[in-house]
Amino acid sequence: MNRNHFGILYVVATPIGNLQDMGPRAVEVLKTVEGILAEDTRHSAPLLQHFMIDTKMLALHEHNERQRTAIILERLRQGESIALISDAGTPLINDPGYFLVREAIKAGIRVAPVPGPCALIAALSISGLPTDRFCFEGFLPAKSKHRVQHLELLRNETRTLVFYEAPHRVMDSLQDMLTVFGGEREVVIARELTKLYETVYSGTLSHLLEWVREDENRRRGEIVLIVKGKEKTVQIEEGVSMEHILKILLAELPLSQAVELTAKISNQRKNEIYQRALQLNNKA
């Protein structure tokens, strides 16, 4: 069969709360394709009704994706175009669709994105934590033992960490994060993004845990947790003293900057370094 006549598999992002975030291209694609694959057809029905989309839906979720992929690929080979949506946000981001997309690519079928809302990106963009490098961990394990084991693997991760969490587990997850990462690690909770009760709150893990504990409303809805990565530390070669570092920096920088950097590099007390810097300057 000529692959030029294959249909297109569209991966379409839908709103995570506010319906006004639905893009016109997404509406147009959903209206013109031959079928829509929805994680939960009952959940997606109100969205399609709102935008007057009457395209027939077919359920595609984690329990039937592998079985239905062959049928969907055949429809695409016959020239039908099909759209994939999830309950909210961008498909495949902690949602079904990976197996289908991978098999479609193997079959030479074009997979086209229709970008839009994504909870993890929305939360990260307003977190105030570093965004240049981050890793998405999805949902942590449900049991504390396995959750702690997973967090231990991330203890020394320097990139910003992004998690999804369920309301009934958010307290336990924050407690386990505090145990593994320490109470002073910065964290942001973002819940119900783009919805009426949107809440974004930041602080240390110990502070945020108490804040969430104070009011049960603060642990309701769709939750994203963003945790600052571990601070990078500079390893000093054995035999390189604090004073040696200080002398080099004093030759290039003002005293206050030299002291500040030496303290960060050597992990020694700033007051002691400052006093030594004054002595060195006086000798000069």
Side-chain angles (χ1 to χ4, degrees):
M1 184 178 291
N2 189 339
R3 293 187 176 185
N4 292 330
H5 296 126
F6 286 179
I8 300 171
L9 175 61
Y10 291 98
V11 179
V12 183
T14 56
I16 58 176
N18 194 320
L19 291 179
Q20 294 184 56
D21 291 335
M22 185 76 164
R25 181 173 171 232
V27 173
E28 181 64 23
V29 166
L30 294 180
K31 283 184 175 181
T32 56
V33 291
E34 280 74 29
I36 296 173
L37 305 172
E39 187 177 357
D40 185 336
T41 56
R42 294 168 299 179
H43 180 92
S44 297
L47 174 73
L48 301 192
Q49 290 169 5
H50 179 83
F51 290 101
M52 294 180 288
I53 300 167
D54 57 10
T55 307
K56 187 175 180 180
M57 283 190 290
L58 178 69
L60 185 84
H61 45 73
E62 60 179 332
H63 302 297
N64 71 1
E65 182 178 357
R66 288 180 176 267
Q67 292 87 344
R68 288 200 163 165
T69 289
I71 297 171
I72 296 164
L73 292 181
E74 184 56 31
R75 291 179 61 180
L76 290 161
R77 289 191 187 96
Q78 294 299 323
E80 292 186 26
S81 286
I82 296 174
L84 170 67
I85 63 174
S86 64
D87 284 349
T90 301
L92 278 75
I93 307 301
N94 220 83
D95 283 323
Y98 167 74
F99 183 77
L100 171 62
V101 167
R102 186 166 178 80
E103 292 302 305
I105 292 170
K106 287 181 182 178
I109 293 165
R110 180 187 169 197
V111 181
V114 181
C118 178
L120 86 91
I121 298 300
L124 184 64
S125 70
I126 59 171
S127 67
L129 295 180
T131 58
D132 54 335
R133 297 177 68 245
F134 67 92
C135 55
F136 175 56
E137 292 293 319
F139 285 93
L140 285 165
K143 293 185 178 181
S144 181
K145 176 183 176 181
H146 299 143
R147 188 163 55 236
V148 169
Q149 289 174 346
H150 187 80
L151 290 170
E152 285 287 356
L153 297 175
L154 301 170
R155 180 196 290 271
N156 296 317
E157 176 58 67
T158 58
R159 294 173 294 177
T160 300
L161 301 164
V162 186
F163 304 89
Y164 286 166
E165 196 46 275
H168 64 282
R169 286 203 304 264
V170 66
M171 289 283 294
D172 292 337
S173 288
L174 286 171
Q175 181 62 62
D176 287 339
M177 287 179 182
L178 186 149
T179 300
V180 175
F181 297 147
E184 295 305 307
R185 185 79 71 93
E186 286 185 65
V187 62
V188 176
I189 184 171
R191 55 174 293 273
E192 295 293 88
L193 291 177
T194 78
K195 300 176 184 176
L196 180 62
Y197 296 106
E198 175 180 285
T199 306
V200 180
Y201 194 84
S202 61
T204 62
L205 271 166
S206 57
H207 175 76
L208 188 67
L209 182 58
E210 287 306 311
W211 183 83
V212 172
R213 183 180 285 126
E214 288 172 359
D215 186 347
E216 65 178 19
N217 289 320
R218 295 170 181 170
R219 47 186 185 269
R220 288 181 174 173
E222 303 293 329
I223 296 171
V224 185
L225 296 173
I226 309 104
V227 182
K228 189 175 183 181
K230 184 178 180 181
E231 293 286 352
K232 293 181 180 179
T233 56
V234 178
Q235 297 297 322
I236 304 174
E237 290 185 17
E238 189 175 351
V240 179
S241 67
M242 172 273 286
E243 186 165 321
H244 181 70
I245 297 168
L246 182 59
K247 286 178 179 178
I248 293 172
L249 293 177
L250 282 171
E252 303 293 336
L253 298 170
L255 186 143
S256 60
Q257 290 184 30
V259 169
E260 183 79 24
L261 284 173
T262 302
K264 288 182 178 179
I265 293 170
S266 66
N267 288 322
Q268 294 191 36
R269 294 174 63 182
K270 191 185 296 185
N271 287 343
E272 294 178 1
I273 298 171
Y274 181 75
Q275 292 302 320
R276 185 55 183 151
L278 290 177
Q279 293 172 4
L280 291 171
N281 269 2
N282 288 336
K283 288 182 179 180

